[in-house]
Amino acid sequence: MARIRGRSWRPSGRSSTGRRPGGRHERRQGREGPRSSWARRLRSMASARSVAGQMFLLQALIVLLLVVAASVTLLYQARSDRFQAARDRSLAAAEAFAHGPGLVQTMQGPDPSAVLQPLTQAASKEGGVDFLVVMNRDGIRYTHPDPTEIGKKFVGTIGPSLAGRVTIESVNGPLGQELQVVVPVMDARGNVVGMVSSGLKVSSVSSAVDQQLPLVLGAGAAALALATGSTALVTRRLRRQTHGLGPSEMTQMYEHHDAVLHAVREGVVIVGGDGRVLLVNDEARRLLGLSPDAEGRDVAGLGLDPRMAELLASRRVVTDEVIPVGERLVAVNQRPTDRRGGPPGAVATLRDSTELRALAGKAEVARGRLRLLYDASVAIGTTLDVQRTAEELAEVASPRFADYVSVDLAEPVLRGEEPRMAVGSEAPELRRVALSGTPDDHPLYRAGEIHRFASPTPQAKGFISGHAVLVPDLAASTGWRTQDTERTQAILDYGFHSLITVPLKARGVLMGIVNFWRTGDSETFEEDDLSLAEELTARASVCIDNARRFTREHAMAVTLQHSLLPRGVPEQNALEVAYRYLPAQAGVGGDWFDVIPLPGARVALVVGDVVGHGLHAAATMGRLRTAVQNFSALDLPPDELLGHLDELVGRIDQEAAPADDEALIAGATCLVAIYDPSSGVCAMARAGHPLPALVHPEGTVEFPELPAGPPLGLGGLPFEAAELRLPEGSSLVLYTDGLVEDRKRDIDAGLDILRRTLAFPGRSPQETCEAVLGALLPSTQSDDIALLVSRTRVLEADRTAEWELPADPAVVARARADVTRQLSRWGLEEAVFTAELILSELITNAIRHASGPIRVRLLRDRMLICEVSDTSSTSPHLRYAAAEDEGGRGLFLVAQLAERWGTRYIPDGKVIWAELPLA
């Protein structure tokens, strides 16, 4: 098993054998006592199976050998001279101490002087030498008989000893003329880690063996004691590091570690600080393709991918960095090993993520499709316009799903109608309403073109069957070529190679088809793409169908609204009128206007606005406009007309209210103005409507203050009318609030713009309408706009003739003569007989049934208007007279001879009028 140098395995929790610290083994120690415990430790130290025991035996053997060697040397050299005795004694002492057990570890310890100084002192005395000095490779003393000399440079030659040899020389040292020996101290690998020097003054050398032998034996005993102590320390440290595990237990633990390391499906590579591989498990060998001898070699020499080799040698921190290794994608996690004081290097874990990346790619594709569907749900159907909805579908799908997208719809769908059912295998005529894709030099049908797909084509098959059709290879599709051989060949030559056609179907109605095209280097459509195309088209189909239904309903509502509005302005001479009506973009509303000719050459101008939008508002507007025309036929003043309208709106609310519920207030505003060209007087009344604008001939603009009546439908309050005298050439501008008020502008700002726009004299009503709309029309019209501009005219004085007659039957003949002269003066001789007869009957009827003076007035306008007024408030009624009745036929004759006739009430009586056509 590969092992990591310089690191200890520190298991946590339970040991591999299940033994816990402080268990039965330690409890037994407490019972046996300290003496038996020490004995057991000594037996454990002496055991050859433990590392500490082996070290102890080795050190004891070395000490024993040194003592024996020193003794033998003394015996054999007893007869040499004193110099040789001193040399031998110093050499023996130095070598004995240099080879002492634990010396290397002590010299490499934190404070070697503290440990070695007493030992050398004792060894020098016991060895019979004058000094015993321990130094490092630089010659710096760790020990000396004179403590002041510790830490200073050794005096002597140390070069040969650094090379591993013993140096013997005679020097003049601090103690005098000495013979000193320098012995190298080597570690287990044979490297010189320091030196031991021993010396003796020649003068003090004695050749007596009995004097030197006890010293040698004492040094050996001291060395043996030192070995024993160092062995005990090593034993304790090993037990602390192994948590009390024995050799067998440690072996079992390392075997398990090795089995797990090489069995996991995750590669492990440990690189040392020098860039060499310390450990590689089997999975890492497989993923990286390493040879069996990879351990111990430099990373750069393993033949790895440059990116992988650089990462393993860099020791930088990475998390799930994916690196290609051959056909694999390997995810690498790397952390340095020296973050907590460990040895320099890095450990990297490797994981094969090839399949994971493939799954991630599929997940990314799925996320992209979901994102596309979400964007489609947001972007498609933002408006209720059929064509714009189709364009949104094409814009969303291109180029994220297809290179080109075309949308073809049946013509009735664009009008809001349902297309007719397809007969047989023939597809209906379709119009291309949307096309998206770049570049724009393609040979596809352009937007706006009308075409009919042949029955063998996938478009026709999809439309007829109602199911999507996938054509993965257009070049191999024969049915697709039947549409247009030249165009289809041009499409293939351009690079189109794949097609999906999906019918637009909603609520069982087939409205058109959507074609998804791919060109050039784009991937071919597959079955998975078919479901996405169907989902996109299904969402768009609902939006297009909603837009179609809205178009149909909007067209119906607009048609209804237009049918309820006036088709034009009636002919009359009192006012020059121009109008504009603009329905709201989102739907129809209830705004209306009307120009109603009244008897006596007068004209009624009406503008109104029903609250709300839709068919109900349009229908209510139609009912109110009809009511206004009917009330105008009664020749009512504006305030009374608004009163009747208020009652009508209340009844409409009651009819629309559900059973046992409060009435819903429809609400409406209205302004009625009646202009009399003979007097230039305009009577106006309003019900919650904006004030009209009055433009004087010189260009001055004002908004006349009219009594503010409540909106129609509230009831309970009367309406008031106001009369204004309008100079000839004045312009009266009536409008609804949609002109001057919208979401971005309040009504005061709109009225100010209207005032400035109208302050230009000399404009015709048509020009005024254009100028007002150009200045006030909002970009997004959310409400109906009704604008009515009228410029006043005054009836010339020579077109009016008026007489006042007493209530006497004798004046009838005189009245006929005056009428004859006036009509002859106007050149209307052909109307004399009819006018005389009508006026005779009306005057006679007034004299008979009324009191007070009688006034007769003739007006020459588009028709000849004959008016007879009296002070009575009783209106005559037309009836059939019996054969025996002497009277009762006057009004019948009037009704037969006149174009129309009627009665209107004035503050001091009534007026009976009749209109005669002019030649």
Side-chain angles (χ1 to χ4, degrees):
M1 187 187 85
R3 302 198 179 187
I4 307 173
R5 294 189 180 93
R7 302 191 65 176
S8 61
W9 184 266
R10 296 179 178 270
S12 60
R14 293 190 179 185
S15 64
S16 60
T17 59
R19 182 181 299 171
R20 296 184 181 178
R24 183 175 58 186
H25 183 68
E26 295 186 2
R27 290 195 298 270
R28 187 184 301 167
Q29 289 183 358
R31 292 194 300 268
E32 290 177 353
R35 182 173 301 176
S36 60
S37 176
W38 275 107
R40 187 175 63 256
R41 289 185 181 180
L42 289 176
R43 288 195 301 271
S44 176
M45 291 168 54
S47 175
R49 295 180 58 189
S50 66
V51 176
Q54 294 173 1
M55 290 179 60
F56 176 76
L57 291 177
L58 179 61
Q59 290 174 356
L61 181 60
I62 292 173
V63 171
L64 180 60
L65 291 176
L66 289 176
V67 172
V68 170
S71 301
V72 171
T73 300
L74 288 176
L75 290 175
Y76 275 102
Q77 300 219 353
R79 286 176 279 180
S80 64
D81 58 1
R82 297 173 61 187
F83 184 84
Q84 185 67 32
R87 172 184 177 278
D88 293 338
R89 188 182 301 177
S90 299
L91 179 60
E95 286 184 345
F97 199 89
H99 293 85
L103 178 60
V104 175
Q105 291 84 349
T106 304
M107 292 178 66
Q108 293 176 350
D111 192 1
S113 295
V115 177
L116 296 176
Q117 176 66 13
L119 296 176
T120 56
Q121 291 292 340
S124 62
K125 291 179 181 181
E126 296 293 333
V129 294
D130 293 336
F131 68 90
L132 189 63
V133 176
V134 181
M135 69 193 83
N136 59 13
R137 287 179 56 87
D138 297 329
I140 304 302
R141 299 187 186 100
Y142 289 149
T143 64
H144 196 272
D146 185 4
T148 59
E149 296 295 328
I150 295 177
K152 296 181 180 181
K153 186 75 173 182
F154 174 75
V155 180
T157 303
I158 62 174
S161 298
L162 292 176
R165 297 191 297 273
V166 178
T167 304
I168 302 174
E169 62 181 348
S170 178
V171 297
N172 188 13
L175 302 177
Q177 188 67 27
E178 299 170 335
L179 180 68
Q180 65 180 15
V181 179
V182 180
V183 179
V185 179
M186 299 181 182
D187 58 11
R189 298 182 180 180
N191 298 323
V192 177
V193 298
M195 293 161 289
V196 177
S197 177
S198 176
L200 183 67
K201 292 188 295 184
V202 178
S203 59
S204 61
V205 175
S206 175
S207 61
V209 177
D210 55 349
Q211 295 178 357
Q212 296 178 355
L213 187 59
L215 295 177
V216 175
L217 295 178
L224 185 59
L226 181 61
T228 304
S230 62
T231 302
L233 292 176
V234 171
T235 302
R236 176 178 294 180
R237 183 173 182 181
L238 287 176
R239 285 189 174 276
R240 184 170 64 251
Q241 291 180 346
T242 61
H243 289 245
L245 298 178
S248 60
E249 295 169 343
M250 288 293 296
T251 301
Q252 184 181 9
M253 182 185 67
Y254 274 102
E255 289 175 351
H256 291 171
H257 163 263
D258 184 71
V260 172
L261 182 65
H262 293 283
V264 294
R265 300 300 295 172
E266 184 165 330
V268 178
V269 179
I270 300 178
V271 181
D274 56 355
R276 295 184 178 276
V277 178
L278 300 180
L279 184 143
V280 178
N281 70 344
D282 295 340
E283 181 67 10
R285 296 179 192 275
R286 184 184 71 85
L287 294 177
L288 300 180
L290 298 178
S291 60
D293 61 344
E295 293 179 346
R297 296 173 58 185
D298 192 272
V299 173
L302 297 177
L304 297 175
D305 180 83
R307 185 177 171 187
M308 178 66 75
E310 185 276 330
L311 176 60
L312 294 178
S314 65
R315 298 174 56 193
R316 58 187 173 91
V317 177
V318 296
T319 300
D320 289 337
E321 181 173 338
V322 178
I323 299 177
V325 178
E327 298 181 354
R328 293 189 181 94
L329 293 175
V330 178
V332 183
N333 292 273
Q334 181 168 277
R335 296 293 185 273
T337 58
D338 55 356
R339 291 190 301 173
R340 298 181 180 178
V347 56
T349 59
L350 314 175
R351 186 175 64 257
D352 189 354
S353 62
T354 306
E355 297 181 357
L356 182 62
R357 175 57 61 92
L359 293 176
K362 293 182 180 179
E364 183 62 28
V365 172
R367 282 196 299 269
R369 293 185 173 185
L370 290 175
R371 193 180 304 110
L372 177 60
L373 291 176
Y374 171 77
D375 294 341
S377 65
V378 175
I380 299 176
T382 58
T383 66
L384 289 173
D385 182 78
V386 174
Q387 181 167 348
R388 180 54 192 158
T389 304
E391 292 173 353
E392 291 171 346
L393 169 61
E395 292 170 359
V396 167
S398 170
R400 297 171 61 181
F401 176 65
D403 296 317
Y404 289 87
V405 178
S406 61
V407 182
D408 305 329
L409 296 178
E411 284 287 342
V413 176
L414 298 174
R415 300 190 299 267
E417 303 172 2
E418 291 187 4
R420 63 180 180 86
M421 298 295 294
V423 179
S425 60
E426 180 183 359
E429 193 174 66
L430 302 176
R431 179 184 293 273
R432 180 146 295 176
V433 296
L435 177 61
S436 178
T438 55
D440 198 33
D441 57 348
H442 54 80
L444 299 174
Y445 290 116
R446 302 289 173 167
E449 291 189 37
I450 299 177
H451 51 274
R452 185 191 300 273
F453 289 106
S455 55
T457 61
Q459 291 91 337
K461 292 180 180 179
F463 189 88
I464 298 301
S465 64
H467 300 290
V469 178
L470 169 63
V471 185
D473 188 2
L474 288 174
S477 176
T478 57
W480 176 70
R481 291 177 175 268
T482 59
Q483 174 65 22
D484 185 341
T485 305
E486 294 182 0
R487 183 182 292 271
T488 52
Q489 186 60 43
I491 291 174
L492 292 175
D493 295 340
Y494 188 82
F496 288 87
H497 59 77
S498 189
L499 166 68
I500 291 180
T501 178
V502 186
L504 280 164
K505 184 178 180 181
R507 301 181 180 91
V509 178
L510 280 168
M511 300 174 291
I513 57 173
V514 182
N515 298 314
F516 301 94
W517 308 82
R518 282 187 178 175
T519 65
D521 297 333
S522 300
E523 296 181 358
T524 302
F525 281 124
E526 300 176 351
E527 290 293 334
D528 293 342
D529 299 318
L530 192 63
S531 60
L532 178 59
E534 291 176 335
E535 182 66 22
L536 280 173
T537 306
R539 298 191 180 197
S541 299
V542 176
C543 297
I544 291 177
D545 187 61
N546 290 337
R548 178 190 66 81
R549 293 160 65 92
F550 172 80
T551 301
R552 180 187 62 188
E553 296 177 1
H554 182 71
M556 293 174 55
V558 170
T559 302
L560 172 62
Q561 185 185 42
H562 287 176
S563 67
L564 297 176
L565 290 171
R567 300 298 179 88
V569 178
E571 295 182 354
Q572 43 82 32
N573 292 333
L575 298 170
E576 181 184 357
V577 178
Y579 67 91
R580 295 289 187 275
Y581 186 86
L582 301 176
Q585 296 177 357
V588 297
D591 293 16
W592 89 94
F593 70 94
D594 224 331
V595 179
I596 305 173
L598 297 178
R602 295 170 304 137
V603 176
L605 304 176
V606 183
V607 173
D609 182 5
V610 176
V611 176
H613 295 82
L615 292 176
H616 177 69
T620 303
M621 175 270 290
R623 297 177 68 177
L624 293 182
R625 178 171 178 259
T626 303
V628 169
Q629 291 180 336
N630 291 334
F631 293 146
S632 298
L634 300 177
D635 213 346
L636 299 175
D639 52 343
E640 294 185 18
L641 190 150
L642 291 178
H644 289 293
L645 282 181
D646 183 63
E647 294 179 2
L648 175 62
V649 173
R651 288 196 298 272
I652 292 175
D653 292 340
Q654 293 293 337
E655 293 174 359
D660 301 330
D661 201 352
E662 295 183 0
L664 301 175
I665 299 177
T669 64
C670 185
L671 188 148
V672 181
I674 299 178
Y675 176 68
D676 188 353
S678 63
S679 61
V681 175
C682 181
M684 291 183 284
R686 66 188 181 109
H689 203 80
L691 291 172
L694 177 60
V695 184
H696 293 275
E698 69 277 7
T700 304
V701 181
E702 65 171 320
F703 295 93
E705 290 294 336
L706 302 179
L712 301 177
L714 297 182
L717 295 177
F719 298 95
E720 298 182 35
E723 292 186 351
L724 300 176
R725 187 171 297 276
L726 307 181
E728 185 176 8
S730 301
S731 294
L732 190 63
V733 181
L734 309 182
Y735 52 89
T736 56
D737 58 357
L739 178 68
V740 295
E741 184 179 16
D742 63 5
R743 296 176 180 177
K744 299 180 180 179
R745 181 182 59 207
D746 59 20
I747 191 170
D748 293 332
L751 292 176
D752 186 62
I753 297 174
L754 179 61
R755 183 193 301 272
R756 294 196 305 267
T757 305
L758 294 176
F760 289 90
R763 282 178 176 169
S764 66
Q766 292 288 352
E767 294 172 345
T768 301
C769 288
E770 295 296 334
V772 169
L773 291 181
L776 289 168
L777 187 64
S779 58
T780 303
Q781 184 184 340
S782 59
D783 195 4
D784 293 358
I785 295 177
L787 175 63
L788 186 62
V789 180
S790 58
R791 186 160 61 184
T792 61
R793 298 169 179 165
V794 176
L795 198 63
E796 294 86 348
D798 59 352
R799 289 178 171 267
T800 302
E802 188 174 358
W803 303 277
E804 184 173 344
L805 304 176
D808 184 358
V811 300
V812 177
R814 188 180 71 185
R816 284 199 298 269
D818 293 337
V819 169
T820 301
R821 285 193 300 272
Q822 185 62 43
L823 294 181
S824 299
R825 190 178 300 117
W826 286 342
L828 301 177
E829 288 82 2
E830 68 279 1
V832 170
F833 175 76
T834 305
E836 285 182 348
L837 183 57
I838 290 175
L839 284 175
S840 298
E841 291 298 331
L842 294 180
I843 294 172
T844 302
N845 189 61
I847 293 173
R848 179 176 300 176
H849 299 287
S851 61
I854 300 172
R855 300 182 64 84
V856 178
R857 186 172 71 162
L858 293 179
L859 299 176
R860 180 187 175 187
D861 195 37
R862 293 180 176 271
M863 305 186 75
L864 180 61
I865 303 172
C866 303
E867 296 181 349
V868 176
S869 59
D870 56 43
T871 59
S872 174
S873 59
T874 303
S875 175
H877 297 281
L878 180 65
R879 65 183 180 86
Y880 288 94
E884 63 275 9
D885 290 342
E886 297 182 357
R889 298 179 177 83
L891 288 180
F892 180 78
L893 291 176
V894 171
Q896 294 297 316
L897 297 176
E899 182 74 16
R900 60 177 186 153
W901 73 281
T903 303
R904 74 172 181 270
Y905 293 94
I906 56 178
D908 54 355
K910 67 177 184 298
V911 176
I912 303 177
W913 54 269
E915 294 181 354
L916 280 68
L918 300 178

